[in-house]
Amino acid sequence: MSAVTDVAIEFNRLSKSFGKVQAVHDLSFSVQFGRVTGFLGPNGAGKSTTLRTLLGLIHPNAGTATFGGVRYEQLPHPSGHVGAVLEEASFHPGRSGRNHLRILAAAGSHPGSRVNAVLEQVDLAGAADRRVKGYSMGMRQRLAIAAALLGDPDVLILDEPSNGLDPPGIRWMRDLLRSEAARGRAVLVSSHLLSEVSQSVDDVVVISHGVLRGSGTLASVLGGADGPVTRVRAGELDRLAELLRDQDHSVEPDGSGGLLVRGAAPEVVGQVAADHQVALAELVAVARSLEDVFFELTEGEA
Amino acid sequence: MTALLRAELIKLRTTRTFLALTGVAVGTSLLICTLVSLLSEPTEESVLTDVFTADTSGLFIVILAIVGITGEWRHRTITSSLLAAPNRLRFLVAKTLAFAAAGLLLSLLISIAIAVVGMIILSSRDLPTPELDELVGQIIRNAEVAALLGAFGLALGTLVRNQPVAIVGVLLLSLAIEPTVIALAPEVGRFAPFSALTAAIQQIPASDIGGSDDFRLLSPGLALLALLAWIGAAFTAGAVLLKRRDLN
């Protein structure tokens, strides 16, 4: 692991237009090592353009997209530092999966033994010598992921990696993302499968029309602008409300005999109640789904 | 650069297109050589260029090179190629060298095969055969042209991304446009890259490429420089385009 700072990827006021179409506008956010960051947005929001700009495939009009301050094409050993799966995983149909990886291993100066290792890792060893045109979409996606893992990179960038995967494949992908982050790697994953993302990511970045709409930890984004929201019921409701207000939490009636506490997770509310010996009848997080947040931030775009 | 070159050579070897076109090139060359050896009566002066320039590797390596680079766009493998080698100029240089090397090897394979077949048939018919040093010289000139055409095809394919358009364009240029220019404007036609310049380098008589009696090819050295200039111009234009292009 070569991480010197916690910031693995940094977008700084990135802009890109194609003719009169502004694909990405003044986009700034960062991705940390050891975390999975979900990159969300409707179709045409600019996600792929952003990722391709980061990888040196598209030239930005303004701003920068770097890995620890260094552009992808200037990294001393790019495919050893960054592994990427882009949306349209591309292979020569007449070439076997193994040969596809052999080519990339040779070009990236990775040891040939990595080919077998990643084929095993993505559970594709049995089909490695078949031509890619006979692969299912899920197998192609696994091959693309194998290619990204060839250089044992510190940073993984995945554009819609669950496309074409069956339910076991999606679970496998989720486990892979989590295990890579647990090893200290930075994972940036774009997806439109919000339920999948909500189970995999630590942080979320939402864009629409190429503009940043929201970002932060999953919990903070799900909590909205005020942070997490908790519903509580107690015998001494007025006293509890007073105690919570004393601690600068926003408290309001929930309309059914309880309280809504904004800006406090259930653990915080529970601790206040326990400290002051207030018996609780109910203590639950008021969950907003990622889908709710997504539509709110993108103004209902699908 | 060695790593990239190695990767490009693996790409070449691992598709059926390469194997199929190589087989067709070998078969075509052997067929031409056999027919010429059996049906013609070459003289001592003409036997070298009549029989032992039947190597068709030049045409096939141009097509292979075009397929090689345009296929990167067609199958979208250009993305993974440039992720592995983000310096686009180095990528293009490696690919050019790979196809030049492939042209060289393909031509050597074919030239040696037609040398063996041609010598056997001519000897069995008691017809004159070239000296060994002359034959080796011709094999080297054939290989030189094939290597240059491999590089030229790659550069042209970088300029014209559409595979069918690039292949049909090169075939039209070499089989229709160049002969027409040679016939109508011989002073210009002397610089035709696929016919006049390659013929001059291979030291094939001007009449063999349809030139009139007063049509004169460039000297082999000048022809080599002119063909290198064509390759350099096409490569430079292709490299500039590739460097500027966004890969959406």
Side-chain angles (χ1 to χ4, degrees):
Chain A
M1 192 61 49
S2 63
V4 177
T5 66
D6 285 344
V7 177
I9 301 170
E10 191 156 25
F11 295 91
N12 185 18
R13 308 201 65 179
L14 187 75
S15 292
K16 174 66 185 178
S17 57
F18 298 101
K20 291 179 179 175
V21 178
Q22 184 82 48
V24 179
H25 179 65
D26 207 22
L27 185 65
S28 298
F29 68 92
S30 62
V31 175
Q32 314 289 316
F33 280 109
R35 297 182 75 78
V36 180
T37 301
F39 188 37
L40 312 177
N43 287 337
K47 302 187 298 294
S48 293
T49 299
T50 303
L51 297 183
R52 284 175 175 266
T53 305
L54 174 65
L55 294 165
L57 299 171
I58 289 177
H59 306 295
N61 298 120
T64 56
T66 60
F67 298 89
V70 182
R71 282 176 24 224
Y72 182 76
E73 55 269 41
Q74 292 176 332
L75 290 170
H77 190 199
S79 61
H81 184 67
V82 181
V85 176
L86 296 178
E87 191 171 9
E88 293 184 37
S90 49
F91 312 97
H92 191 295
R95 198 171 275 139
S96 71
R98 185 188 305 283
N99 282 334
H100 175 73
L101 295 177
R102 281 178 63 216
I103 289 163
L104 297 180
S109 300
H110 308 305
S113 58
R114 285 293 299 161
V115 172
N116 283 338
V118 295
L119 281 168
E120 294 286 347
Q121 193 175 349
V122 302
D123 199 19
L124 209 55
D129 295 312
R130 281 167 49 191
R131 286 193 283 163
V132 172
K133 71 177 174 187
Y135 282 16
S136 67
M137 194 182 275
M139 290 164 82
R140 288 175 188 224
Q141 198 68 320
R142 284 172 185 265
L143 181 59
I145 290 161
L149 295 171
L150 260 180
D152 202 16
D154 297 336
V155 179
L156 272 178
I157 295 166
L158 309 162
D159 196 1
E160 303 281 1
S162 298
N163 273 359
L165 293 179
D166 54 12
I170 290 173
R171 171 174 283 189
W172 170 83
M173 171 65 65
R174 191 164 60 222
D175 293 344
L176 176 76
L177 300 184
R178 293 303 333 162
S179 67
E180 293 298 317
R183 293 173 64 189
R185 292 171 169 170
V187 181
L188 176 60
V189 53
S190 85
S191 180
H192 66 278
L193 298 174
L194 300 177
S195 58
E196 270 311 307
V197 171
S198 65
Q199 294 178 61
S200 317
V201 304
D202 302 301
D203 302 316
V204 176
V205 175
V206 181
I207 68 167
S208 174
H209 294 302
V211 177
L212 183 70
R213 302 293 184 186
S215 67
T217 63
L218 182 63
S220 69
V221 169
L222 291 182
D226 301 326
V229 180
T230 301
R231 174 181 289 118
V232 62
R233 291 173 197 277
E236 300 175 87
L237 204 59
D238 291 342
R239 183 171 164 239
L240 179 60
E242 202 59 37
L243 291 167
L244 288 164
R245 286 194 187 98
D246 288 348
Q247 299 204 5
D248 294 331
H249 296 303
S250 165
V251 180
E252 61 190 71
D254 72 349
S256 58
L259 296 174
L260 283 178
V261 187
R262 298 193 183 278
E267 310 87 74
V268 175
V269 176
Q271 191 62 52
V272 171
D275 289 347
H276 297 85
Q277 297 184 321
V278 177
L280 298 182
E282 183 186 2
L283 180 67
V284 292
V286 178
R288 293 199 306 163
S289 71
L290 189 54
E291 193 172 71
D292 294 335
V293 176
F294 179 82
F295 281 109
E296 190 180 301
L297 291 172
T298 61
E299 295 162 338
E301 286 178 64
Chain B
M1 182 54 76
T2 311
L4 290 181
L5 187 55
R6 198 168 142 251
E8 291 301 329
L9 290 173
I10 299 174
K11 275 186 200 174
L12 260 173
R13 294 200 312 265
T14 52
T15 60
R16 287 190 176 179
T17 309
F18 179 72
L19 297 174
L21 280 177
T22 298
V24 173
V26 172
T28 310
S29 302
L30 283 175
L31 181 66
I32 293 169
C33 170
T34 304
L35 290 175
V36 171
S37 305
L38 285 173
L39 303 176
S40 68
E41 299 281 339
T43 63
E44 204 166 311
E45 290 74 34
S46 71
V47 67
L48 192 64
T49 52
D50 280 357
V51 177
F52 298 97
T53 55
D55 172 8
T56 60
S57 60
L59 175 66
F60 284 97
I61 198 64
V62 167
I63 294 173
L64 273 171
I66 290 173
V67 168
I69 184 68
T70 55
E72 294 269 6
W73 299 97
R74 187 177 176 194
H75 303 299
R76 293 181 164 272
T77 49
I78 188 73
T79 301
S80 52
S81 294
L82 292 184
L83 286 177
N87 184 322
R88 298 182 186 192
L89 185 59
R90 281 167 59 88
F91 163 75
L92 201 55
V93 169
K95 217 167 181 67
T96 304
L97 291 177
F99 278 97
L104 187 82
L105 290 175
L106 179 60
S107 176
L108 285 175
L109 171 74
I110 290 175
S111 291
I112 290 169
I114 61 177
V116 171
V117 171
M119 291 294 268
I120 290 171
I121 295 174
L122 292 173
S123 300
S124 69
R125 293 181 65 206
D126 285 332
L127 289 169
T129 55
E131 297 294 328
L132 183 63
D133 61 334
E134 291 175 327
L135 195 55
V136 170
Q138 191 60 54
I139 289 172
I140 291 171
R141 287 192 291 277
N142 292 348
E144 187 183 356
V145 164
L148 291 168
L149 288 180
F152 194 34
L154 196 287
L156 292 174
T158 310
L159 278 172
V160 184
R161 279 193 305 175
N162 184 301
Q163 195 169 86
V165 170
I167 291 173
V168 171
V170 162
L171 290 176
L172 270 177
L173 185 65
S174 59
L175 301 176
I177 297 171
E178 286 196 0
T180 307
V181 173
I182 288 169
L184 298 177
E187 284 308 309
V188 178
R190 297 168 82 198
F191 295 93
F194 291 108
S195 45
L197 295 181
T198 55
I201 295 169
Q202 284 178 290
Q203 299 179 19
I204 294 172
S207 55
D208 283 13
I209 60 163
S212 56
D213 290 344
D214 58 346
F215 179 63
R216 295 283 177 272
L217 292 169
L218 295 176
S219 70
L222 270 181
L224 175 63
L225 288 177
L227 189 51
L228 284 172
W230 272 107
I231 295 167
F235 180 90
T236 305
V240 169
L241 264 184
L242 180 63
K243 201 167 168 56
R244 288 183 179 171
R245 197 165 265 158
D246 282 331
L247 274 76
N248 295 321

